[in-house]
Amino acid sequence: MFDLHIHSRFSFDGHDSVGGLCDRALGLGLSGLAITDHIDQVTAPELFPEFTPDKLALTAKNSNAAISKAQKEYDGRLEVLRGTELGQALHNQALSEFLLATYDYDFVLGSIHNLRATEDFYFISYSSSEQAHALLHEYFEELYAIVEWGQFDSLAHLTYPLRYMVGRDKIPVDLALFADCTDAILALLAKKGKALEINCSGLRQELGDTLPGEGFVRRFRELGGERITLGSDAHRVPDLGFGLARGMETARRCGFDSLTIFRRRKAYQVPFGEWTGEAWRTP
Ligand SMILES: [Zn+2]
Ligand SMILES: [Zn+2]
């Protein structure tokens, strides 16, 4: 099994070293992992001191250096993939494309954590369904633009805002209101041969479900989707690998027969039966 969504201490919200994460992966009997530290683009860097272009470039440099070191250290024992989670790529398209060209990534997650000139969904407090729906409308429109741009391999946590709107703030949200837009996103992903991520972080958080939930994974399949990646979105060692077995079962129930991993941005399908090992099935 591979965990394809992990943050090290080089992410602004990560805690642990790449070596510590690799040791945990070995302990779980994983075959490999992708270190996917954040590159979060913003439209107004002056409002986000963590995300000025200089700091983002330095983060990418440090993360890549640590990955290179781990690839040597764990060679033959654990496959360490060079990844990144590129947030809001179009908020600074030139820098996004420069960083993608600079590093020889194996795997790139595309995601959105904040709307233009707005803080991360994490920092907003939600008080009504109307407010949440207005934000979700913009969110899915921006996500569609990211898929149109397409310079990523797997679309991360399709329903990210729900982690805070529903999981934390208990605001009812009706995603059926956005079905036209989410269908368009999933259909375009499928058409472009991109993967949809089943992000397992919600299973250990208040939301109690994968991001996205099973309905969207099934819909992706119905619309022609063929590739699923799995990730814990761990920001600390104990969360690595959490929920991967449940994520795989979700994919199976939705009609998939394999999981996808990426090397040098190329997709490799691994049938469920080839995922061996036991330890990773428990957390
Ligand atoms: Zn994310
Ligand atoms: Zn992440």
Side-chain angles (χ1 to χ4, degrees):
M1 176 55 68
F2 278 63
D3 187 338
L4 291 183
H5 191 154
I6 298 168
H7 297 276
S8 81
R9 65 185 177 85
F10 294 113
S11 290
F12 71 97
D13 52 357
H15 295 268
D16 294 312
S17 68
V18 172
L21 293 161
C22 289
D23 287 341
R24 167 73 172 167
L26 278 176
L28 288 175
L30 297 189
S31 312
L33 82 180
I35 301 294
T36 54
D37 282 318
H38 288 293
I39 298 174
D40 268 313
Q41 305 290 7
V42 292
T43 47
E46 65 279 8
L47 300 177
F48 300 92
E50 291 286 345
F51 302 138
T52 60
D54 285 356
K55 284 197 177 168
L56 292 183
L58 183 62
T59 296
K61 187 174 169 215
N62 287 337
S63 175
N64 273 279
I67 292 167
S68 296
K69 186 164 169 266
Q71 285 176 334
K72 288 197 189 89
E73 202 175 322
Y74 291 85
D75 185 32
R77 296 186 289 154
L78 182 73
E79 188 171 353
V80 181
L81 297 172
R82 185 181 303 282
T84 187
E85 180 180 4
L86 187 49
Q88 307 85 237
L90 297 178
H91 290 189
N92 189 338
Q93 186 174 345
L95 182 57
S96 298
E97 292 177 3
F98 171 77
L99 292 173
L100 290 180
T102 299
Y103 298 103
D104 204 1
Y105 287 112
D106 289 299
F107 179 55
V108 177
L109 286 164
S111 69
I112 288 186
H113 301 116
N114 58 265
L115 303 172
R116 287 175 187 276
T118 307
E119 56 202 344
D120 192 310
F121 284 102
Y122 169 81
F123 292 108
I124 300 173
S125 61
Y126 304 95
S127 53
S128 71
S129 298
E130 291 71 25
Q131 173 205 18
H133 288 158
L135 291 166
L136 281 167
H137 180 75
E138 278 187 68
Y139 170 77
F140 286 124
E141 296 222 319
E142 282 209 26
L143 211 52
Y144 183 79
I146 292 282
V147 180
E148 272 191 313
W149 172 70
Q151 294 191 32
F152 63 91
D153 303 309
S154 184
L155 188 66
H157 50 56
L158 174 74
T159 50
Y160 175 73
L162 266 56
R163 192 188 274 174
Y164 309 111
M165 292 171 173
V166 179
R168 184 190 64 200
D169 291 355
K170 316 296 181 210
I171 300 299
V173 160
D174 181 7
L175 288 177
L177 294 171
F178 310 101
D180 286 353
C181 200
T182 53
D183 271 4
I185 289 168
L186 295 172
L188 188 57
L189 264 187
K191 187 173 162 214
K192 286 178 173 254
K194 304 285 176 198
L196 178 70
E197 178 193 60
I198 298 181
N199 184 298
C200 301
S201 65
L203 295 170
R204 62 176 189 269
Q205 297 166 343
E206 290 159 297
L207 189 63
D209 195 4
T210 53
L211 299 159
E214 192 165 327
F216 285 104
V217 180
R218 183 166 289 115
R219 190 71 182 131
F220 180 53
R221 184 69 181 159
E222 287 167 1
L223 292 167
E226 293 182 343
R227 293 179 173 143
I228 293 288
T229 66
L230 281 189
S232 66
D233 207 352
H235 287 68
R236 49 182 87 235
V237 163
D239 292 336
L240 195 149
F242 190 93
L244 297 181
R246 283 175 64 188
M248 189 166 89
E249 281 314 305
T250 299
R252 191 198 301 272
R253 278 197 302 274
C254 294
F256 292 89
D257 59 8
S258 61
L259 295 174
T260 302
I261 60 171
F262 285 82
R263 298 183 180 104
R264 303 274 168 124
R265 311 293 308 274
K266 188 172 176 313
Y268 294 83
Q269 303 288 114
V270 183
F272 292 144
E274 292 180 24
W275 295 107
T276 55
E278 287 304 319
W280 59 266
R281 295 178 200 271
T282 42

